[in-house]
């Protein structure tokens, strides 16, 4: 038994030895994705984990059952020592959670049935009536709805700041929130959807530590890492307590599943685990198994998609019918955003906005004339997609607020996949001729 293995898979018994190092060198997450947290010996030598389709687990003794339940219910700290029931956990989910944590070098992770169930469960677990959530803007539309409409029903309030705000502006926002109630959570989305604005997570963590040094409660910092995770950004390494994912996007990567995750320290995740155990917002064994397969290629896919994004983005940026392309790879290193990028991100991803010259009509003509790039919302799949946030994902956002957030009628959001880059450039070239 080794500590590394225990870290990755908190409750599965027995715990076999697990190789995470060669000599004293730590292996990279992309290598660990092939086998970490799974011991073939325990499953008839099967090289790959089977899908464990069971709702309940047999205990070897009544005393074991009692001990496992003590862990589940929190009567004893440290989590459960064994598997109990499908609403709490399962082998496929535990392997997945161990592997997800590797990317951020975090204690642990929790898997969820969707990105929104990860976000919703995490927020609900950390707020009480009368609390205030301070959040960056814009947010994924359903997250905004969760905070405003759903948590609002329970007396939770919110105050926001623009994603690109300076530390001084963010401090003022936190001050303002403190006048309304207890600041329970600082919720970030970086890069923001669909503008790609980055939040200075490091600065937010420093503000939190300074401003709440003597406070009874320190707000929990959560950051939605869907756009760059798990390969190009690790918010928990930059000061966030919890990193949130829609695994539906880059991690799943094939537009064929819906799932989510929360990654962080055992302490920050403990209330979220308790609520997940109560609600059953955990991912199912089939989806967890598909995600294990996806994680084996996530680095390959994200790197190829990023290279394609550079090719397509460069073509579009120089096109006379395009005003601007806001891709992280094009940030000026001397700018404030460029500085955050350098400190937080190791890659630019493959989702960006194209600001077309014109308005909705011109944007729609571009979208309607694409031949291989599909017209669909979502992102991070092997195939390239394009959509119109103002008319689709952000349609429910009031027009004035959309303008404030920089989501205009001439903004087309593109998620670049792993096709041949020349075909993607050719597709945009012919579609722009029709504009
Ligand atoms: C898609 C998405 C979500 C929600 O995830 P689901 O898996 O659809 O529930 C949350 N945040 C961001 C940034 C997203 O892109």
């Amino acid at each position: 038994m080794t500590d590394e293995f225990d870290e990755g898979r908190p409750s599965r018994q027995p715990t076999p030895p697990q190789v995470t190092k060669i000599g004293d060198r730590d292996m990279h997450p992309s290598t660990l994705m092939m086998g970490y947290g799974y011991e073939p010996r325990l499953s008839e030598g099967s090289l790959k984990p089977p899908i464990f389709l069971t709702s309940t687990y047999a205990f070897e003794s009544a005393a074991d059952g009692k001990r496992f339940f003590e862990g589940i219910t929190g009567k004893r700290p440290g989590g459960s020592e064994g598997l109990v029931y499908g609403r709490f956990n399962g082998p496929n989910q535990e392997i997945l959670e161990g592997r997800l944590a590797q990317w951020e070098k975090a204690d642990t992770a929790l898997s969820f049935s969707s990105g929104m169930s990860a976000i919703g469960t995490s927020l609900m677990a950390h707020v009480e009536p009368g609390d205030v959530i301070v959040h960056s803007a814009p947010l994924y539309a359903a997250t905004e709805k969760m905070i405003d409409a759903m948590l609002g029903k329970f007396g939770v309030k919110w105050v926001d700041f623009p994603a690109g705000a300076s530390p001084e502006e963010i401090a003022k926002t936190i001050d303002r929130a403190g006048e309304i109630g207890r600041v329970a959570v600082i919720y970030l989305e970086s890069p923001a959807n669909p503008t790609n604005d980055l939040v200075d997570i490091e600065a937010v963590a420093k503000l939190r530590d300074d401003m709440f040094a003597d406070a009874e409660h320190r707000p929990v910092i959560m950051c939605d890492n869907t756009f760059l995770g798990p390969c190009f950004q690790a918010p928990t390494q930059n000061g966030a307590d919890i990193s949130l994912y829609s695994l539906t996007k880059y991690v799943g990567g094939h537009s064929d599943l819906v799932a989510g995750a929360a990654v962080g320290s055992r302490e920050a995740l403990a209330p979220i685990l308790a609520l997940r155990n109560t609600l059953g917002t955990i991912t199912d064994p089939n989806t967890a198994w598909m995600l294990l397969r996806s994680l084996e290629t996530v680095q390959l896919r994200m790197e190829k998609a990023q290279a394609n994004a550079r090719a397509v983005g460069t073509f579009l940026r120089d096109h006379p019918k395009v005003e601007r392309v806001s891709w992280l790879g094009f940030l000026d290193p001397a700018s404030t955003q460029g500085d955050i990028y350098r400190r937080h991100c190791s890659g630019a991803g493959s989702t960006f906005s194209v600001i077309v010259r014109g308005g909705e009509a011109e944007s729609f003509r571009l979208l309607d004339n694409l031949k291989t790039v599909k017209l669909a919302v979502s992102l991070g799949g092997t195939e390239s997609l394009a959509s119109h946030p103002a008319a689709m994902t952000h349609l429910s956002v009031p027009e004035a607020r959309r303008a404030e957030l920089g989501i205009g009628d001439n903004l087309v959001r593109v998620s670049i996949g792993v096709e041949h880059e020349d075909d993607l450039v050719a597709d945009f070239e012919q579609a722009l001729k029709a504009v």
Side-chain angles (χ1 to χ4, degrees), residues 27-344:
M27 284 192 279
H28 292 88
S30 55
T31 306
L32 296 175
M33 291 308 108
M34 310 317 169
Y36 182 78
Y38 172 66
E39 175 51 71
R41 193 166 43 81
L42 297 174
S43 296
E44 312 279 356
S46 172
L47 180 72
K48 292 296 182 188
I51 305 177
F52 288 86
L53 290 176
T54 184
S55 61
T56 193
Y57 297 85
F59 307 133
E60 280 181 19
S61 69
D64 270 2
K66 182 179 178 190
R67 218 159 21 84
F68 296 173
F69 263 96
E70 283 171 348
I72 291 282
T73 54
K75 274 216 157 73
R76 207 176 21 75
S80 185
E81 289 174 32
L83 294 166
V84 167
Y85 182 64
R87 195 176 73 241
F88 305 144
N89 221 332
N92 298 103
Q93 294 93 323
E94 287 200 340
I95 301 167
L96 169 65
E97 290 165 1
R99 289 187 192 174
L100 285 170
Q102 292 303 317
W103 291 92
E104 299 211 15
K105 297 189 172 61
D107 275 359
T108 188
L110 299 171
S111 63
F112 289 88
S113 56
S114 70
M116 282 318 302
S117 70
I119 292 165
T121 308
S122 298
L123 284 170
M124 277 194 285
H126 280 281
V127 295
E128 289 172 17
D131 281 350
V132 190
I133 296 171
V134 173
H135 74 79
S136 62
L139 292 180
Y140 185 72
T143 306
E144 191 146 324
K145 184 162 187 173
M146 178 74 208
I147 291 174
D148 181 44
M150 306 301 174
L151 294 175
K153 277 204 306 193
F154 302 99
V156 175
K157 287 159 270 181
W158 57 268
V159 178
D160 68 346
F161 60 87
S166 67
E168 294 72 30
E169 285 173 83
I170 300 172
K172 272 191 210 141
T173 311
I174 297 173
D175 269 337
R176 207 149 34 87
E179 286 162 19
I180 303 173
R182 181 184 81 143
V183 182
V185 174
I186 302 176
Y187 187 94
L188 315 174
E189 184 175 303
S190 184
N193 175 28
T195 54
N196 262 345
D197 283 338
L198 295 170
V199 183
D200 192 338
I201 306 167
E202 216 175 329
V204 170
K206 187 171 183 318
L207 280 176
R208 188 270 311 266
D209 293 347
D210 292 348
M211 295 172 78
F212 295 87
D214 304 318
E216 220 167 277
H217 174 80
R218 262 164 40 112
V220 178
I221 302 174
M222 302 183 187
C223 182
D224 185 332
N225 194 32
T226 299
F227 269 47
L228 290 181
C231 297
F232 299 139
Q233 181 176 252
T236 57
Q237 295 285 304
N238 292 312
D241 300 299
I242 298 167
S243 185
L244 295 162
Y245 288 78
S246 168
L247 302 176
T248 313
K249 314 295 167 55
Y250 285 101
V251 177
H254 296 72
S255 306
D256 55 5
L257 60 84
V258 174
V263 176
S265 70
R266 253 172 241 293
E267 190 193 354
L269 294 184
I272 303 170
L273 173 61
L275 185 56
R276 190 188 70 171
N277 282 347
T278 307
L279 290 173
T281 42
I282 189 168
T283 190
D284 66 279
N286 279 295
T287 305
W289 185 91
M290 286 171 75
L291 284 160
L292 293 178
R293 172 185 268 216
S294 290
L295 279 172
E296 296 187 10
T297 56
V298 68
Q299 180 104 37
L300 273 177
R301 286 184 282 106
M302 285 189 81
E303 280 174 8
K304 169 63 177 161
Q306 175 177 242
N308 281 356
R310 179 171 298 283
V312 175
T314 304
F315 167 78
L316 290 172
R317 189 174 57 166
D318 299 335
H319 197 284
K321 290 182 181 169
V322 172
E323 197 177 297
R324 191 158 52 80
V325 169
S326 63
W327 183 50
L328 293 174
F330 294 152
L331 281 175
D332 172 6
S335 66
T336 311
Q337 285 282 302
D339 175 55
I340 302 173
Y341 179 75
R342 181 186 54 76
R343 285 184 285 119
H344 289 16

Side-chain angles (χ1 to χ4, degrees), residues 2-9 18 20-21 26 36 102:
T2 66
D3 286 351
E4 287 92 346
F5 191 76
D6 281 340
E7 285 301 307
R9 251 177 114 190
Q18 191 66 27
T20 59
K21 286 173 187 285
D26 285 330
Y36 182 78
Q102 292 303 317

